[in-house]
Amino acid sequence: MSSPIRDAMATSDVLITVGSGGVGKTTIAATLALRAAMEGTGSMVCTIDPAKRLANALGLEALGNKEARIPDETFGAAGLLPRAPMYAMMLDIKRSWDDLVERRAPPDKREKILNNRFYQALSTALAGSQEYIAMEKMWELHEQAKYPLLVVDTPPTAHALDFLDAPNRILDFLDNDAAKWLLTPALAAGKFGLKLFNLGGSYVAKTISRFTGTETLQQLADFMLNITSLTDSFRERAHQTRSLLQAPSTAFVLVTGPMPERVDEAVYFHTLLQQNKMRVAAVVVNRIHAPVPDALWDEVARMGGPLQARLEQTLKENDLLATQDARGIERLRELCAPTPLVLVPRFELDVHDLKAVWETSRYLWGEAQVDAAKATR
Amino acid sequence: MNPALTDKRLLIVTGKGGVGKTTIAAALALESARSGKRTLVCEVNTKERITQLLGKPEVGPEVTSLEENLWAVNVRPEESMKEYALMVLKFESIYSAVFENRVVRYFLRFIPSLQELVLLGKILFHLKEKRADGSFRFDRVIIDAPATGHAITFLSVPQVIVDTVPPGAMSTDAAWMRDLLVDAKTTAVVLVSLPEELPVNETLELHQALKDRVKLTPRLVVLNGFIPARFTEAEVEAPTTTLVHDTMRAHHARSKLSLASQKTLQKLGLPVVPVPRIFGTEFGRAAIEQVVALLSGADS
């Protein structure tokens, strides 16, 4: 049986899972990495999701900023015997930023950058910074070429767009004519080695400083001055990550649920990826409710007794869920064409151990199928 | 309104992605408006959904009346930035000269977290806003906040700015925003969860992070999509055909998980309100009305 996921894995060394929150994206990322390892392709799954879901899905206590190999015992406990190793990590945003500065900044600038309050905000709390560092990490891991397959999980939709845009944003920030023009007096002062500089010259700078305070602009100027030493490497990296995202060996797996609001978001995201010339290997529709088989309706209709009414109510509810899901699937099929859909059923309990992850992979791999005939009737 | 929330003027609704935060925010807003409180419900720079759920046309970034005692807004960075700048600068002409300059606009995007600050600033401004007679323009403001990790980042922004940005209009504003958020008499967090293992665990972590790191006060947990028991253990175990047995067992497993989730969440020491799952192919005003009834019913 053909499977778009299997094809994508055969032709890609980077898979990126994208989608809204709460659709099981992290689990699907883990599933892809697990399946690869089972098939003999060493894999690494990297999550940047702020919530610690991946460790949960892998049955690990916690994941750190370092790549950890999933221990054999974990696989053994699930009755699995992978033919290649599987690794996992969760990005620690602050640590990754510090590593980056320490690696790339000239020695005389390092401390200045690390101690600057703007840098501290940037590396811990600034919206968008985790997206940037994730791109950086993805590129670094890819460059190491240690893992034949790299699976990168992204934060939920609104932010996943930032993720695509992150390298450009950081470049805008560091290499922006506006900033240079505004801060020229300060930058010039810095270059001539003066300790105190004056922003008072420009009307625009004066007005903005009514907002932020003069000192803020000075500190920002200081930060920019020091971090300019990194601009070239940021610029180079931005181009590299962009081309990695668009490379023929990179594929996106868009994960969604079948309910109406998720479908709208998925379609929106699919359009954006295509506009950005990114290859979408498949739309994974997760947690689909199975329709009630006719035989069961018939059986309950005949049974009578105290259970009948309650069972009929249950079947009615199940069918409503299945009907709603079938509609969502139809809309996705139509609006995301020609990207293939991969359907994954809702399991009785939440997927949170390797065994359940393995079961999920059988649907991704085309070994098991949701009863699509009835689901789309 | 749930007793835990009746005297709170700011409700922040958050939880894991996909748990139904928007549904609960919409229902709380409707319930609040009906109790006679002038209520503003805010979405934060997102694809607007609350108005659609309430069966109303989109409102966008302008505070717009939906029905008696109920207003809605979807705060967006660009418009909020302008409103904020005008408040600080007082003069439209200066705003146009400086802030509508493309170069400056570009620059402002990069002042750390300024965007989040103005979004939150606009919302909290409406909480403080007064009418000519000195009474509050809105008795209650409800925020449909971002999901877990982003909610923590978003709600921490005032504190981060107080810590990072030297004195100026921005840090002064950040300080009063922080004070309002951490004021347990004014502000309450409503955590929304689902009766499944991952969402429940995440709710526990979120509760901890909001209390310890952001210093906010969670007051209520809404357990959305609750499945009440329908079959007894004995009925599930009784011999029958495989299909019937599987149907009962699946339902029973979900209802047991619902109950277990409720018990786990109760360890937080907060009231946990189960909102039973609503079945239907259209999720709109009728469903929200059902949720309002379920939320209010839980009071008594």
Side-chain angles (χ1 to χ4, degrees), chain A residues 89-319:
Chain A
M89 71 176 291
M90 196 173 82
L91 270 188
D92 177 329
I93 306 299
K94 169 89 178 123
R95 280 276 298 278
S96 304
W97 271 103
D98 291 355
D99 286 353
L100 186 143
V101 170
E102 274 161 23
R103 239 184 6 251
R104 298 233 215 99
D108 61 316
K109 303 270 199 271
R110 263 174 224 162
E111 284 305 304
K112 277 187 186 153
I113 295 176
L114 293 175
N115 292 327
N116 184 289
R117 286 201 277 183
F118 277 100
Y119 168 74
Q120 284 160 7
L122 174 78
S123 58
T124 51
L126 181 63
S129 71
Q130 59 182 12
E131 283 83 359
Y132 177 75
I133 206 72
M135 298 305 296
E136 177 76 29
K137 198 65 176 184
M138 176 182 80
W139 191 84
E140 186 194 312
L141 290 168
H142 182 257
E143 202 58 8
Q144 286 174 4
K146 232 167 90 187
Y147 310 104
L149 180 73
L150 193 58
V151 182
V152 182
D153 183 29
T154 60
T157 310
H159 286 260
L161 296 175
D162 293 349
F163 169 79
L164 295 178
D165 201 29
N168 295 329
R169 269 178 56 166
I170 208 87
L171 257 191
D172 280 353
F173 178 47
L174 295 172
D175 194 21
N176 168 323
D177 288 341
K180 277 189 189 150
W181 170 69
L182 193 71
L183 298 170
T184 298
L187 291 171
K191 272 185 193 134
F192 291 113
L194 295 173
K195 290 226 166 120
L196 293 166
F197 42 72
N198 186 6
L199 281 161
S202 126
Y203 169 66
V204 169
K206 259 188 195 158
T207 312
I208 291 186
S209 67
R210 279 171 70 181
F211 243 122
T212 60
T214 320
E215 212 187 313
T216 306
L217 280 192
Q218 289 189 353
Q219 285 198 358
L220 189 57
D222 194 30
F223 172 61
M224 305 261 308
L225 186 65
N226 285 309
I227 209 154
T228 335
S229 56
L230 291 175
T231 310
D232 285 342
S233 73
F234 275 123
R235 185 182 305 112
E236 197 190 341
R237 189 55 48 88
H239 289 304
Q240 288 163 334
T241 45
R242 187 81 189 172
S243 45
L244 179 55
L245 287 176
Q246 291 173 333
S249 56
T250 298
F252 285 80
V253 175
L254 177 51
V255 186
T256 182
M259 52 292 239
E261 66 273 18
R262 297 288 161 262
V263 167
D264 289 345
E265 286 162 355
V267 169
Y268 169 65
F269 209 168
H270 184 260
T271 312
L272 272 164
L273 286 168
Q274 291 204 317
Q275 279 168 0
N276 282 282
K277 303 192 171 51
M278 316 274 177
R279 178 163 70 110
V280 188
V283 177
V284 173
V285 193
N286 201 8
R287 300 188 190 140
I288 297 169
H289 293 91
V292 176
D294 291 336
L296 182 53
W297 274 116
D298 295 345
E299 195 183 326
V300 171
R302 281 194 313 265
M303 74 189 289
L307 278 175
Q308 189 182 33
R310 280 178 285 152
L311 273 167
E312 275 177 349
Q313 180 61 26
T314 309
L315 297 190
K316 214 174 97 194
E317 290 168 0
N318 292 352
D319 247 0

